[in-house]
Amino acid sequence: MVMAVLGALLVTAEYRRGLIRTTLVASPHRGRVLAAKAIVLGCVVFVFGLAASAFTMWFVDKLRRNNGTYIVPASALTEVRIMVGTAALLAVASLFALAVGTILRRSASAVATVIALVVLPYILAVSSVGALQWLLRLTPAAAFAVQQTLHRYPQVDGVYVASAGYFPLSPWAGFGVLLGWTCVALALAIFLLRKRDA
């Protein structure tokens, strides 16, 4: 949610203070302005997210081992995928917020929209058994699948739901759903930036 606020504020603060006119006079190529903001935001959030996810994985693993909690073993490659995937998830979600902020021009509505599309479907899907699992296929919340470590086995009959650590899409397919939403939002943001703020 912090990255959604950061992404939205990167552009909505300019609209609120009227500085967007100065930015667009200094650089009349509106697509380049949004691309520059997206590159800076994406890189900063990715680096921060990578450091935060690496530290969090180490800390939680240590905490669980000290408490005697059984930890399902995961390969080193899976742990790297989770760290890099989480950082990429945060970066792309902040870019999605940047695009929504450009489309809506208001901080509160942009942040609320991003939270309603990314965070809320995840909470609803995790809190229900089966009924709302489709949210993790169609909404940007599907990207949380990059954090999945457990495998679904067809010969085992069990409850395969997000609350138990299983996602309906594979890790990178779920991340692809968020990428698709973000690409559409950025394309619409560039179109509207060229049309409205001419």
Side-chain angles (χ1 to χ4, degrees), residues 97-157:
L98 173 73
V100 171
T102 304
I103 293 167
L104 299 178
R105 297 181 179 183
R106 302 273 187 255
S107 301
S109 56
V111 171
T113 301
V114 171
I115 289 173
L117 289 172
V118 178
V119 179
L120 186 61
Y122 176 75
I123 292 170
L124 292 173
V126 168
S127 63
S128 73
V129 178
L132 298 174
Q133 295 298 305
W134 61 270
L135 289 172
L136 294 177
R137 292 179 187 267
L138 301 176
T139 65
F144 285 104
V146 298
Q147 298 176 338
Q148 178 173 297
T149 59
L150 304 173
H151 299 285
R152 183 176 185 163
Y153 297 100
Q155 72 274 17
V156 177
D157 188 25

Side-chain angles (χ1 to χ4, degrees), residues 154-169:
Q155 72 274 17
V156 177
D157 188 25
V159 180
Y160 293 105
V161 292
S163 60
Y166 298 96
F167 288 82
L169 296 176

